[in-house]
Amino acid sequence: MRTYAASQLLPHDPTNPTWALMWARRFAGDIPPWRPGSLEDEEWRGWLEATAIRVNSTTYYRPHEAATRAIESDPNRLLSLALSGVAQTYRNPLDAAAAIRRGGRWVDERIAEVVGVLPGELAPRF
């Protein structure tokens, strides 16, 4: 199943898994209309859990990090395509991931406001 509801992008709450799912999709550009290679909600939830941090039994989701890991690790992501003399070049996934990380820094800063340290300074889960 694939879901996306822009209304769930607010309020900003990194402890809310639905909020995190919507933002992961938004960061990755994985929103309707669904394209080939679009991830199922369950796949996004896996990335969200893998990139989350836990502090004092509270889970903080990092949807920008989930999006970057999904993009960076996709072995089927096209860099270019040419058919019948028409060519298209796509953005390098590492460049896209770096831009998403920069753009999503506000999520880490919001988490740091609560826990007192940026998530990247805590031990990574993988």
Side-chain angles (χ1 to χ4, degrees):
M1 178 171 72
R2 292 178 180 91
T3 57
Y4 180 75
S7 63
Q8 296 294 318
L9 297 173
L10 290 172
H12 296 305
D13 179 3
T15 64
N16 182 320
T18 301
W19 174 88
L21 174 61
M22 297 307 119
W23 270 106
R25 284 196 178 282
R26 177 74 258 164
F27 279 123
D30 189 12
I31 58 175
W34 306 115
R35 296 179 295 236
S38 174
L39 298 181
E40 299 285 334
D41 288 355
E42 293 76 15
E43 294 170 295
W44 277 119
R45 285 188 190 101
W47 280 114
L48 288 164
E49 284 296 322
T51 57
I53 61 164
R54 286 177 183 72
V55 178
N56 298 327
S57 73
T58 301
T59 300
Y60 295 91
Y61 297 100
R62 303 175 67 215
H64 60 299
E65 190 61 29
T68 61
R69 302 274 179 106
I71 289 169
E72 288 173 336
S73 67
D74 182 355
N76 299 313
R77 193 168 189 89
L78 293 177
L79 296 177
S80 64
L81 179 66
L83 294 169
S84 301
V86 177
Q88 168 116 18
T89 301
Y90 299 96
R91 190 172 186 184
N92 180 303
L94 297 179
D95 293 340
I100 292 168
R101 275 194 182 100
R102 285 190 306 274
R105 183 150 173 88
W106 63 269
V107 176
D108 285 344
E109 290 168 353
R110 189 158 187 101
I111 293 169
E113 289 172 6
V114 176
V115 302
V117 63
L118 286 168
E121 296 173 15
L122 298 172
R125 296 200 50 212
F126 75 96

